[in-house]
Amino acid sequence: MHEWSLADAVVRSLLRFMASEGLDSIEEVEITWGEILELDTDIFERAFHELSRGTPLEGAKLVLREEKAHFRCNSCGAEWDFKTADEMLSREFEIMEEPTGVRENPLHFLPDLARTLLRCPRCGSRDFDLIDGKDLRVSRVVA
């Protein structure tokens, strides 16, 4: 599960930040995550708190904010969202649900594959940008 490795990266980054700023504790941290990551927020939150245990981050309130994915074609200017991209991938690559009902989108694991797997829904170009919704970042810290 990539949620644990992402939480580990966030905890390590915050601990380095605290050391560089001379902070003893953090009251609240806001994490903004891109929709394309399809983050399981329950697992991420559990991982964050477990990995923070015994560190100066222990007890910090975690606020998670989703950033919607937004694509824009550089050829024709069309714009589309993650739902449209997901539907295109499902049709083109016949992505099937697992017996549990889970359907893993390949962009979930490798967002940079978007250019290889997707085309503009209007003109078919692969020259587009994923404007928003692919990153995970610390967007706010309250000490």
Side-chain angles (χ1 to χ4, degrees):
M1 293 183 197
H2 78 291
E3 285 81 358
W4 278 83
S5 60
L6 292 172
D8 182 58
V10 167
V11 167
R12 288 174 187 264
S13 177
L14 286 168
L15 291 173
R16 282 192 305 272
F17 171 74
M18 291 174 73
S20 72
E21 297 296 314
L23 299 174
D24 293 327
S25 65
I26 288 180
E27 290 180 33
E28 182 176 299
V29 60
E30 181 180 278
I31 306 295
T32 301
W33 60 278
E35 177 182 28
I36 204 165
L37 295 175
E38 297 183 312
L39 190 73
D40 184 321
T41 55
D42 290 336
I43 293 172
F44 181 87
E45 189 168 357
R46 187 171 359 141
F48 177 85
H49 291 299
E50 285 294 320
L51 294 167
S52 297
R53 189 174 295 165
T55 76
L57 279 173
E58 187 171 6
K61 179 182 177 188
L62 181 64
V63 177
L64 298 172
R65 186 173 68 82
E66 182 183 34
E67 179 179 71
K68 295 294 185 184
H70 178 219
F71 299 83
R72 181 179 307 125
C73 180
N74 294 319
S75 296
C76 74
E79 297 185 8
W80 64 97
D81 61 11
F82 184 64
K83 182 179 180 195
T84 302
D86 190 44
E87 289 168 355
M88 288 188 304
L89 286 173
S90 293
R91 277 192 311 272
E92 182 149 347
F93 297 101
E94 299 179 11
I95 298 171
M96 313 264 304
E97 283 187 6
E98 294 179 18
T100 61
V102 174
R103 201 171 116 290
E104 294 288 355
N105 185 308
L107 298 181
H108 166 82
F109 300 103
L110 296 167
D112 292 332
L113 283 178
R115 281 200 207 305
T116 306
L117 300 176
L118 295 174
R119 295 177 184 271
C120 171
R122 183 188 300 160
C123 73
S125 173
R126 292 197 192 272
D127 183 16
F128 63 86
D129 292 317
L130 176 52
I131 306 298
D132 297 310
K134 71 175 180 177
D135 300 318
L136 183 132
R137 65 186 176 279
V138 175
S139 46
R140 187 172 55 88
V141 172
V142 177

